[in-house]
Amino acid sequence: MSFLLRFTPETLGEPEETAPPADRVVAGDPRHLTWNAETLPDGALFAGVWESSPGAWRVDYEEWEFCTLTSGVSILREDGEPPVTLKAGDSFVIRPGFKGVWEVVETTRKLYVIRLI
């Protein structure tokens, strides 16, 4: 068994298709695709690829997440803070307690690592 895991959507197979809960959508009809590449045995850490079509929805993070956008444009609007525009190549961390709106302006794909807290 190799201790190196390389992944792309093409090698991960069929994605899970989801959408934000209807009561959290504030604009558009965003649809998500998730290719989860790794889940640790304790279920507290995930890594993979996520993609969303345009739209906006309220988010309330209880987890810690590291992201790198590989395509698209999104705007994160943290409650009480100025909006942050993110584009392909940008990396960032969303900490537990982040509340606000995630808006996908152009279909966005990101690599993610999520740690449940």
Side-chain angles (χ1 to χ4, degrees):
M1 175 179 104
S2 175
F3 289 93
L4 174 66
L5 173 63
R6 294 182 66 189
F7 59 86
T8 66
E10 294 75 27
T11 62
L12 292 175
E14 291 300 311
E16 177 185 4
E17 298 181 36
T18 61
D23 63 339
R24 290 184 173 237
V25 174
V26 295
D29 185 25
R31 298 290 179 207
H32 305 158
L33 299 175
T34 303
W35 294 265
N36 197 59
E38 177 88 317
T39 301
L40 291 188
D42 67 359
L45 188 125
F46 307 87
V49 180
W50 173 91
E51 182 177 285
S52 180
S53 62
W57 61 96
R58 292 225 28 102
V59 293
D60 184 354
Y61 275 71
E62 296 178 2
E63 65 275 15
W64 177 96
E65 182 175 7
F66 171 83
C67 305
T68 296
L69 296 191
T70 60
S71 63
V73 177
S74 283
I75 300 171
L76 289 181
R77 291 184 170 87
E78 183 175 5
D79 293 346
E81 299 291 333
V84 176
T85 300
L86 301 160
K87 60 188 181 328
D90 289 340
S91 297
F92 54 98
V93 169
I94 299 176
R95 295 183 180 121
F98 179 99
K99 294 180 182 181
V101 173
W102 186 304
E103 178 184 0
V104 173
V105 178
E106 296 174 9
T107 297
T108 295
R109 183 175 281 185
K110 69 179 180 179
L111 303 176
Y112 65 85
V113 177
I114 296 172
R115 173 76 171 135
L116 303 180
I117 303 296

